[in-house]
Amino acid sequence: MSNLSEFVHHHFDKPADELGDVEKRVLAKAHQRKVISTDVNAAFSAEASLGERIADSIARIGGSWSFIIAFFVFLTAWTVINTIILVSGAFDPYPFVFLNLILSMLAAIQAPIIMMSQNRQAERDRFEAAKDYEVNLKAELEVLSLHQKIDMRVLTELTALREDVARLSAELAAKG
């Protein structure tokens, strides 16, 4: 256990009891040799409510070129029908008051839905950043552990070489 506390103090630059939950979880996973990375998309989508999924879909559709083109076609058709085709009996003559009402209602509904989706995207970004931190921290710990193992191996080999050199020197001195 003291070896673990030395490892924690050396690599985290603080005592083991001052580690946060994330550091403790990553350290435990590294000690157990378990994978810490997850599919962020699947993990985040699994927590989404029906309303959040609907908001994401509306934002995805409302922010696409196909929606923009379709809406442009709708507005052009509305204008053409009410100015050229239905000259005398237009259901929404110029200045298109009913169209303005529809557009205002659409904007009033669509704006908060898009804001919900943007807030959810910000949450997703924070979730992804936290997962990235965990994976990076575990990778750092693994690299440091490998570095320490290599250093120990090199020191063991150097010690063995020194012993061999000392033994050979003693043998040469005894023969000479």
Side-chain angles (χ1 to χ4, degrees):
M1 189 64 154
S2 122
N3 189 18
L4 180 62
S5 348
E6 288 176 24
F7 177 82
V8 168
H9 183 68
H10 180 69
H11 294 302
F12 286 100
D13 202 24
K14 57 185 166 183
D17 58 339
E18 290 182 17
L19 291 179
D21 292 339
V22 173
E23 286 90 0
K24 288 177 184 175
R25 185 173 55 251
V26 169
L27 191 58
K29 291 283 189 177
H31 183 67
Q32 297 166 355
R33 300 266 186 238
K34 290 190 176 179
V35 175
I36 199 165
S37 60
T38 58
D39 181 0
V40 176
N41 293 325
F44 194 75
S45 295
E47 297 174 7
S49 69
L50 177 63
E52 290 171 333
R53 288 193 303 270
I54 290 172
D56 288 345
S57 297
I58 289 173
R60 188 173 25 263
I61 292 167
S64 68
W65 276 109
S66 54
F67 175 80
I68 292 170
I69 292 168
F71 205 68
F72 179 74
V73 168
F74 167 76
L75 291 175
T76 304
W78 185 285
T79 306
V80 168
I81 288 171
N82 282 292
T83 53
I84 299 172
I85 297 175
L86 300 175
V87 175
S88 61
F91 59 89
D92 187 23
Y94 181 81
F96 311 116
V97 174
F98 186 57
L99 177 62
N100 282 322
L101 175 65
I102 291 173
L103 294 176
S104 296
M105 289 188 324
L106 178 66
I109 292 170
Q110 193 178 23
I113 291 173
I114 290 172
M115 289 299 292
M116 285 171 41
S117 181
Q118 287 177 339
N119 289 340
R120 185 163 149 69
Q121 183 61 40
E123 286 176 30
R124 183 186 189 294
D125 292 344
R126 285 189 294 276
F127 181 78
E128 192 170 345
K131 286 296 182 185
D132 286 347
Y133 172 73
E134 289 178 9
V135 170
N136 290 341
L137 182 59
K138 184 171 185 278
E140 268 187 76
L141 290 173
E142 293 294 334
V143 167
L144 289 170
S145 176
L146 286 172
H147 188 13
Q148 188 176 26
K149 286 177 185 177
I150 290 170
D151 286 349
M152 293 304 293
R153 177 72 179 172
V154 167
L155 287 174
T156 303
E157 288 179 8
L158 280 174
T159 303
L161 284 173
R162 284 184 181 151
E163 288 172 0
D164 287 345
V165 167
R167 184 183 46 81
L168 290 172
S169 294
E171 286 178 14
L172 282 175
K175 285 185 181 182

